[in-house]
């Protein structure tokens, strides 16, 4: 599976931004897509995830109410709509694909995902 993330950029606090991740090349097993983010010197942090079939969504507490994850199965694309962005949302955002089902408690664990995209930079600054 190849994942291509795009849509990052420089925005001001309070602005909105939508990033996308297109998946290709899968021949088997597709359970969920997730977004993680990372800043230099810190661990990769879970942001949100969505299952391909049921559309079940998961969010980190830090983004609940501000971010929305969605999917387009036909386009094999997952989106992350980010509203009311804060400076602490600045990070490289990575999309990830899980081939196999995982329990809800595992949605935020990077070990549940098998494939990773290259990341897209989101910078929130005034």
């Amino acid at each position: 599976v190849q994942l291509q993330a795009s849509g990052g950029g420089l925005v001001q606090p309070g602005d909105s931004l939508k990033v996308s991740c297109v998946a290709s090349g899968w021949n088997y097993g597709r359970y969920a897509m997730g977004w993680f983010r990372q800043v230099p010197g810190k661990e990769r942090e879970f942001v949100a995830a969505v299952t391909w079939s049921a559309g079940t969504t998961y969010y980190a507490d830090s983004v609940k109410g501000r971010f929305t994850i969605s999917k387009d199965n036909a386009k094999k694309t997952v989106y992350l709509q980010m509203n009311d962005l804060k400076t602490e949302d600045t990070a490289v955002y990575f999309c990830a694909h899980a081939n196999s089902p995982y329990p809800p408690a595992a949605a935020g664990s990077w070990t549940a995902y098998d494939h990773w995209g290259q990341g897209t930079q989101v910078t929130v600054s005034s």
Side-chain angles (χ1 to χ4, degrees):
V1 177
Q2 291 80 47
L3 304 175
Q4 182 68 45
S6 63
L10 172 64
V11 296
Q12 295 186 339
D15 283 354
S16 298
L17 192 66
K18 188 174 186 178
V19 293
S20 304
C21 180
V22 181
S24 62
W26 64 35
N27 295 315
Y28 58 90
R30 45 181 176 176
Y31 180 68
M33 287 276 278
W35 285 98
F36 289 72
R37 63 188 182 186
Q38 190 170 24
V39 297
K42 292 189 176 181
E43 292 188 356
R44 195 163 293 190
E45 176 190 23
F46 171 71
V47 177
V50 61
T51 61
W52 282 113
S53 180
T56 304
T57 57
Y58 306 95
Y59 293 96
D61 288 342
S62 59
V63 306
K64 278 181 182 177
R66 300 189 298 123
F67 290 12
T68 302
I69 189 169
S70 61
K71 63 183 179 69
D72 185 327
N73 287 43
K75 295 182 178 179
K76 298 180 182 178
T77 301
V78 172
Y79 307 95
L80 185 68
Q81 175 69 46
M82 302 181 286
N83 298 330
D84 189 24
L85 281 160
K86 306 177 185 300
T87 55
E88 53 263 40
D89 294 318
T90 296
V92 177
Y93 283 71
F94 297 90
C95 55
H97 183 270
N99 294 341
S100 302
Y102 52 63
S109 173
W110 65 269
T111 59
Y113 300 85
D114 305 284
H115 307 279
W116 293 82
Q118 85 289 357
T120 185
Q121 176 71 47
V122 173
T123 303
V124 185
S125 175
S126 56

